[in-house]
Amino acid sequence: MTTRNPTQLASDDDWWRSAAIYQVYVRSFADANGDGIGDLAGLRERLPYLRDLGVDALWLTPFYPSPMIDGGYDVADYRDVDPLFGTLTDFDNVIVDAHALGLRIIVDLVPNHTSSEHPWFQAARTAAPGSPERARYVFAEGRGVAGELPPNDWESVFGGPAWTQLADGQWYLHLFDPAQPDLNWRNPEVRAEFADVLRFWLDRGVDGFRIDVAHGLIKAEGLPDVGFGQLTGQRQVELLGKRRLPYFDQDEVHDIYRTWRPILDSYPGSRMAVAEAWAETPQRLARYIGPDELHQAFSFDFLDAHWSADSFRKVIDTALAESVIVGAPTTWVLSNHDKQRHVTRYGDGPEGLRRARAAALLMLALPGCAYLYQGEELGLPEVLDLPDDLRQDPQYLRTGQSRDGCRVPIPWNGELAPYGFGPAGSALSWLPAPATWRELSVRAQTGVSDSTLELYRTALRIRRTHPALSVSSARITWQETDPGILAFTRSAAGTALTCVVNISDEPAAVAEYGEPLVASTALTERDAGYLVPVDAAAWFERR
Ligand code: GLC
Ligand code: CA
């Protein structure tokens, strides 16, 4: 196959080790054709904004043809673009322009399940039990006298049983929505298909993949019951990351990634893959990473940490220790399209925003790769009061918990919603932005020195250029501090950068770390040093 997008970035084999990667939730980023839905042409127009923000790469959420039952994580064709988002040509244009601006592109790969509209599942539906068509998915006979009960007790992550019965009596597995049937990764045909899909996008010039539900591909032989959920009354999804479930993190899943790595490595440049994986311990999560498997796995412990110095310190130490063992960079994530935005998690309102800004400086000072979720650079909060009838998350229908509040379109400019999301005269955006977002728009924050946007720009610029924050300085040294204060130093080339985060209830006096480079809330000078306010962070430099 020919390489359609030969534009390559300057080779830097280690780019992913210290990159700041910006997650674009395509549907909510920018709308070029005015139908109220973000699209690839909209993203293309806004690429200069992302270059100026100072990130190194973009991760694009799924834009493939899809009935959009789960925001595109239900893929009907792995080798095309949904008309809602544009065409393959639009995609190629995004790659070419992004590369020209020095931005790498990672796409989302959804291998655990297809859409029920995928031709394979359409064929499986009408094929006979035991047929090769059904062997691409996980079909099983039911229990009970006449097979009227599901084959086992597995629950969907979105709530309810993980099995749906077809008219001929057989049941199919869906760990997520019934419109997302799980593929059978023990079938060589499935493996061959995805190897080809990887090549399809690598040939088009992508720099990597984010692997959706990377821990889910292999299910335990014999499909055994989970069992203990019933004993404790917990939903099985609450055990995720605590207990091994028979449908997650099975040892044989690693065989699959060992066949993917040589494919990635066979391409010029440095192509990478990051796993969205959940495992019961950091050690088991680390098994996804290595020179013969994937480059990274998201560490969600940072995102789950409470607003407390202890909690952050523990998570950081564990993650960095693992990173040394596996020889791969840690990933830091504060928000994504599945989680409540961190401004809101940290208390919402002015307090939540102050803390979120401090957390950004904490994350961006740590060694490893930082993943930013679109809108966090604007300090966007979760939208908690979306009208119920507009919510689209399939999980909401099954459990009442909705992820729509972090997926509201980005405010770009102007006085009224949807704030320049589309061209003038556009349809309403697919989710409405609140009136309070006028002040949070990109235009409203640009050039305003104490805005969240300018804070991110400054921090990302320092991160890119400061030797103490480069890959060569992979260690942090904790400073002796009062409880409630986090302070760590990274040094290189004769300079030392110290990040101080004040999570106590009094301003913290610091004198010993040099001069401030950036602060999440203005510092005041005192004696020969500075006061870091409560719920604030600052970077200091000593040469
Ligand atoms: C991942 C995605 C999430 C999706 C699910 C099923 O967790 O991040 O948005 O609903 O997989 O594909
Ligand atoms: Ca559109």
Side-chain angles (χ1 to χ4, degrees):
M1 226 188 251
T2 53
T3 302
R4 265 173 254 261
N5 292 303
T7 48
Q8 244 154 54
L9 292 174
S11 151
D12 170 10
D13 290 350
D14 279 337
W15 70 269
W16 47 274
R17 290 186 178 271
S18 60
I21 302 184
Y22 183 97
Q23 178 187 357
V24 176
Y25 194 75
V26 179
R27 199 180 186 184
S28 302
F29 189 67
D31 170 23
N33 67 354
D35 64 355
I37 295 169
D39 45 47
L40 292 174
L43 165 61
R44 186 182 180 202
E45 287 169 10
R46 299 291 184 183
L47 288 171
Y49 165 76
L50 296 169
R51 188 258 332 262
D52 294 347
L53 178 60
V55 295
D56 304 289
L58 313 180
W59 146 31
L60 312 189
T61 54
F63 46 76
Y64 315 109
S66 163
M68 291 291 196
I69 300 293
D70 185 21
Y73 283 94
D74 44 330
V75 179
D77 179 352
Y78 288 86
R79 296 180 186 80
D80 206 348
V81 171
D82 195 289
L84 212 51
F85 300 127
T87 62
L88 274 175
T89 306
D90 291 325
F91 177 80
D92 291 343
N93 289 338
V94 166
I95 291 260
V96 171
D97 285 13
H99 284 178
L101 292 171
L103 295 166
R104 288 179 158 91
I105 299 281
I106 293 170
V107 295
D108 217 311
L109 187 75
V110 188
N112 181 67
H113 43 264
T114 69
S115 158
S116 52
E117 303 289 309
H118 189 284
W120 275 9
F121 195 73
Q122 292 295 309
R125 253 180 202 292
T126 49
S131 60
E133 287 82 359
R134 288 214 172 167
R136 293 168 178 149
Y137 292 90
V138 184
F139 276 88
E141 299 299 331
R143 295 201 281 211
V145 193
E148 74 283 9
L149 300 172
N152 63 26
D153 69 353
W154 297 2
E155 290 170 9
S156 154
V157 172
F158 291 164
W163 296 92
T164 292
Q165 193 172 28
L166 293 186
D168 59 41
Q170 271 210 325
W171 297 74
Y172 71 89
L173 178 69
H174 50 85
L175 292 180
F176 294 87
D177 193 84
Q180 294 167 298
D182 278 54
L183 285 162
N184 171 18
W185 274 87
R186 295 184 189 274
N187 183 339
E189 197 188 350
V190 171
R191 296 188 183 218
E193 170 70 1
F194 275 87
D196 193 67
V197 169
L198 286 174
R199 289 199 181 89
F200 179 87
W201 294 103
L202 289 165
D203 285 335
R204 295 197 102 87
V206 305
D207 300 284
F209 298 91
R210 178 258 187 193
I211 317 295
D212 189 62
V213 195
H215 53 307
L217 277 45
I218 295 286
K219 280 72 183 179
E221 211 73 84
L223 310 174
D225 279 335
V226 170
F228 41 74
Q230 280 144 346
L231 299 179
T232 59
Q234 278 170 303
R235 281 185 58 210
Q236 287 170 12
V237 69
E238 296 170 47
L239 303 168
L240 221 148
K242 299 192 189 98
R243 302 283 275 270
R244 183 107 42 92
L245 294 163
Y247 44 84
F248 283 150
D249 194 31
Q250 300 295 303
D251 289 339
E252 294 125 293
V253 82
H254 298 285
D255 300 339
I256 299 168
Y257 302 125
R258 283 194 276 269
T259 67
W260 288 10
R261 184 58 178 260
I263 299 176
L264 290 166
D265 288 349
S266 72
Y267 280 80
S270 183
R271 320 280 175 117
M272 58 79 81
V274 53
E276 184 222 15
W278 296 86
E280 68 203 292
T281 59
Q283 290 74 19
R284 281 200 69 90
L285 186 62
R287 299 173 72 207
Y288 289 79
I289 309 167
D292 62 344
E293 288 198 36
L294 305 174
H295 298 69
Q296 302 175 338
F298 289 126
S299 158
F300 293 116
D301 294 343
F302 190 64
L303 185 153
D304 288 335
H306 302 294
W307 185 251
S308 95
D310 264 4
S311 171
F312 279 121
R313 192 169 164 147
K314 251 184 227 131
V315 165
I316 292 168
D317 279 339
T318 311
L320 291 179
E322 280 309 316
S323 140
V324 171
I325 295 169
V326 297
T330 325
T331 59
W332 308 106
V333 187
L334 286 168
S335 277
N336 65 33
H337 66 294
D338 292 330
K339 298 285 179 181
Q340 190 175 75
R341 283 189 178 274
H342 58 279
V343 167
T344 303
R345 284 204 322 269
Y346 293 149
D348 218 30
E351 180 185 67
L353 181 59
R354 275 167 76 92
R355 292 176 171 179
R357 290 165 55 108
L361 288 191
L362 168 62
M363 171 167 80
L364 294 174
L366 288 165
C369 181
Y371 281 85
L372 314 180
Y373 177 49
Q374 67 178 37
E376 74 171 73
E377 79 279 21
L378 303 174
L380 298 186
E382 185 85 0
V383 180
L384 297 169
D385 57 357
L386 285 171
D388 290 348
D389 58 331
L390 292 182
R391 293 185 189 269
Q392 302 208 6
D393 183 1
Q395 180 176 267
Y396 176 66
L397 301 175
R398 291 168 76 99
T399 63
Q401 286 165 0
S402 149
R403 299 168 295 177
D404 295 297
C406 64
R407 300 176 178 179
V408 173
I410 295 296
W412 291 96
N413 52 56
E415 300 297 309
L416 292 174
Y419 307 110
F421 178 59
S426 294
L428 293 176
S429 57
W430 71 280
L431 287 174
T436 47
W437 282 20
R438 188 173 60 89
E439 296 140 43
L440 297 178
S441 77
V442 169
R443 184 168 305 154
Q445 296 195 43
T446 300
V448 176
S449 62
D450 63 353
S451 71
T452 305
L453 178 57
E454 294 301 342
L455 174 70
Y456 268 79
R457 283 187 178 149
T458 304
L460 285 162
R461 178 173 45 74
I462 299 170
R463 180 184 157 96
R464 250 189 351 268
T465 51
H466 202 287
L469 297 187
S470 71
V471 244
S472 66
S473 149
R475 288 227 175 120
I476 66 170
T477 308
W478 290 108
Q479 304 291 347
E480 292 264 336
T481 52
D482 292 339
I485 315 286
L486 290 172
F488 61 85
T489 302
R490 292 173 68 188
S491 0
T495 73
L497 188 144
T498 302
C499 172
V500 178
V501 191
N502 184 0
I503 310 185
S504 75
D505 43 24
E506 290 167 27
V510 286
E512 59 274 48
Y513 309 129
E515 288 307 305
L517 293 176
V518 59
S520 67
T521 305
L523 308 180
T524 42
E525 287 188 45
R526 206 190 61 175
D527 305 334
Y530 297 90
L531 283 181
V532 179
V534 173
D535 289 339
W539 294 355
F540 296 89
E541 178 192 54
R542 211 176 37 218
R543 290 194 174 261

